[in-house]
Amino acid sequence: MDKIVIEGGVPLSGAVAVSGSKNAALPIMMASVLTAEPVIIRNVPRLRDIATALTLLGHLGVHSRWLGDHTLELCAARIQSHEAPYELVKTMRASFFVLGPLLARTGRARVSTPGGCAIGARPVNLHIRGIRALGARVQLRHGYVEAHAERLAGARVWLDTPSVGATENIIMAATLARGRTALENAAREPEVQDLARMLNAMGAKISGAGNHVIEIEGVERLHGADHTIINDRIEAGTLMVAAAITGGDVLVRGANAEELKAAVAKLQESGVEVTPEGDGLRVRRTGAVRAVELRTLPYPGFPTDLQAQMMALLANAEGTSVITETIFENRFMHALELLRMGADIAMKGPTAVVRGVPRLCGAPVMATDLRASSSLVLAGLAAENTTEVQRVYHLDRGYEGLDSKLRSLGARIERVPDRGAS
Ligand code: EPZ
């Protein structure tokens, strides 16, 4: 187990390139199950979660090989298992997104429910309700979802909340259903839109991705495709906060201004300069960070996956910020560690009141989940003295070489074995 050691206080400068999107790559990899033909996926980030997804797909009989550093070939010529075991699903919730494709391709699926995680209960009721609406017989037994359907039938499906995963699972299931499916109150995230582009390249007939209603006209079968994943907007946002929190000047290459509109607006409101430059966004901060009100919302609102990073920035702001987390019920774990670095944060339910302090103090801190770990790294970049972030395997789930990317911008950051790790 490694830890990351940071000597804070260096304003970052230079240019850094964003990797492919983890949250686009994962459902798109699961979509390979929908066809017996090979699919090529480009711009795939090298992450722990990608490796976990490859292990799951291999268990199902999908052959995979890397054709280059970031290009994957997947081929589900024959499905040899219909089961996504608990051991795999519990380590990565996105494994549950194999339910829809597996059911649509083979007529049966036995997928472990993911269970909760550090940030919340993470139920899958909307996934199940959608699959049932498409005609599947679904039972919940021994912690597994067992689904059967000779052939799914298109239907009108309403999502109580615009769940990203439920939207993706249901879209994939509906691509091979008989007839038309209308998915209402669907998630609008760029990753959903990227999945729809990939599925349409495979011969699906999907329209409306990115809007509240997505329509899918079922087809008999899908074929192979060659698709390039969009860049990771959450990694881009994380790197932008790194520039802001250190008072630096960084070009984040591959950052998509449209996808990051809410985050850009909030950074600008807090006194950070963000301007389009070349193929990315240039981020500069010279003056003080100003306190803001922040509310996480489904896309295109402010992304919950950038909430922890913004809290680190606002911990050093002039004034008092109020952060409201509306997506997950327990996504302030990073605040407890920021408190140990001298932050002044009071939490009550979904709201955190962040009173800015002049500067945080370095300390040994513990990562609890993926985005919390990046928040602690960001705090360490600006804090005085040394910060040690333990359990960085959380970080490795969703960031491709974040420490080396930050080092390339001048950060004094090292990854070292954590001898004392429990
Ligand atoms: C996706 O998770 C992302 N993961 C998450 O990113 C992201 O935080 C989340 O969407 C919200 O944007 C991937 O894409 C792999 P949801 P997902 O279903 O699909 C409730 C990261 O850091 N809900 O949109 O699991 C749920 O409890 C990760 O990269 C139900 O009630 O999120 C939550 O409160 C973390 N019933 C809300 O909806 C359901 O059946 C949004 O969850 C499903 C969800």
Side-chain angles (χ1 to χ4, degrees):
M1 200 179 299
D2 289 348
K3 63 184 174 184
I4 282 184
V5 181
I6 305 164
E7 292 300 327
V10 177
L12 301 187
S13 63
V16 66
V18 172
S19 298
S21 164
K22 164 179 84 82
N23 291 349
L26 291 171
I28 283 171
M29 289 169 71
M30 304 303 171
S32 68
V33 167
L34 287 165
T35 177
E37 296 181 18
V39 297
I40 306 284
I41 311 172
R42 302 178 192 277
N43 198 30
V44 180
R46 303 300 292 256
L47 304 169
R48 280 169 60 105
D49 276 9
I50 299 296
T52 304
L54 287 174
T55 304
L56 169 66
L57 290 169
H59 175 85
L60 301 176
V62 179
H63 294 290
S64 64
R65 61 188 177 130
W66 290 98
L67 301 182
D69 278 353
H70 296 96
T71 301
L72 256 183
E73 181 187 59
L74 298 176
C75 186
R78 268 173 307 287
I79 299 294
Q80 67 189 31
S81 166
H82 299 87
E83 182 164 315
Y86 175 64
E87 293 66 39
L88 283 173
V89 178
K90 75 179 178 186
T91 59
M92 186 186 68
R93 171 186 172 69
S95 308
F96 195 73
F97 301 176
V98 80
L99 172 65
L102 199 51
L103 182 60
R105 169 81 187 273
T106 71
R108 50 195 277 243
R110 184 170 189 268
V111 180
S112 167
T113 51
C117 74
I119 63 177
R122 311 294 294 272
V124 288
N125 58 312
L126 299 177
H127 298 242
I128 294 167
R129 201 180 304 164
I131 300 293
R132 277 197 172 120
L134 297 178
R137 298 182 304 287
V138 181
Q139 283 185 304
L140 273 172
R141 284 202 302 187
H142 313 302
Y144 281 75
V145 171
E146 299 183 351
H148 295 80
E150 288 65 43
R151 184 168 183 198
L152 295 169
R156 183 171 295 281
V157 182
W158 168 261
L159 288 179
D160 295 353
T161 56
S163 154
V164 173
T167 298
E168 292 168 342
N169 235 336
I170 296 163
I171 286 176
M172 289 191 277
T175 56
L176 295 176
R178 180 185 300 107
R180 173 177 289 271
T181 295
L183 183 53
E184 297 179 310
N185 197 28
R188 301 165 61 190
E189 273 71 0
E191 294 75 30
V192 172
Q193 299 176 50
D194 204 31
L195 171 64
R197 277 190 291 272
M198 164 71 168
L199 292 167
N200 282 341
M202 293 169 68
K205 291 180 180 167
I206 302 166
S207 55
N211 300 318
H212 286 300
V213 180
I214 300 176
E215 302 229 342
I216 305 106
E217 185 67 45
V219 295
E220 289 302 313
R221 71 179 53 75
L222 295 180
H223 51 69
D226 184 327
H227 180 78
T228 299
I229 302 276
I230 55 174
N231 288 333
D232 194 312
R233 62 192 167 99
I234 303 303
E235 184 197 20
T238 304
L239 292 166
M240 291 165 70
V241 173
I245 202 169
T246 58
D249 179 352
V250 173
L251 173 60
V252 181
R253 305 198 53 203
N256 179 311
E258 181 59 30
E259 293 174 355
L260 284 159
K261 202 171 272 185
V264 169
K266 202 46 74 176
L267 282 169
Q268 289 171 333
E269 187 187 338
S270 70
V272 179
E273 286 173 55
V274 182
T275 47
E277 183 173 317
D279 65 347
L281 293 171
R282 186 178 199 114
V283 183
R284 243 175 301 211
R285 199 237 329 151
T286 48
V289 177
R290 293 194 292 266
V292 296
E293 298 243 338
L294 173 63
R295 188 177 183 78
T296 65
L297 287 169
Y299 190 86
F302 189 93
T304 174
D305 292 349
L306 284 177
Q307 178 258 109
Q309 297 89 321
M310 278 301 285
M311 186 183 284
L313 176 65
L314 296 172
N316 299 291
E318 281 185 356
T320 299
S321 302
V322 179
I323 297 177
T324 307
E325 171 59 59
T326 73
I327 307 295
F328 291 110
E329 63 268 31
N330 185 36
R331 202 169 197 175
F332 286 147
M333 305 277 275
H334 44 284
L336 303 177
E337 295 301 297
L338 291 173
L339 286 169
R340 298 185 54 250
M341 295 176 72
D344 180 346
I345 305 169
M347 287 163 280
K348 190 163 174 51
T351 302
V353 176
V354 183
R355 291 180 187 80
V357 297
R359 195 169 182 202
L360 297 182
C361 310
V365 289
M366 182 85 73
T368 51
D369 58 87
L370 168 55
R371 305 305 173 182
S373 50
S374 68
S375 166
L376 299 175
V377 168
L378 295 173
L381 291 175
E384 60 189 1
N385 300 329
T386 305
T387 297
E388 289 193 358
V389 182
Q390 297 164 10
R391 297 190 180 176
V392 289
Y393 58 85
H394 289 292
L395 201 68
D396 297 336
R397 290 194 51 181
Y399 290 98
E400 186 178 39
L402 184 63
D403 48 317
S404 48
K405 286 182 179 174
L406 293 170
R407 193 163 42 247
S408 74
L409 296 172
R412 288 186 301 230
I413 181 170
E414 293 301 328
R415 175 189 288 259
V416 299
D418 189 350
R419 304 264 181 252
S422 55

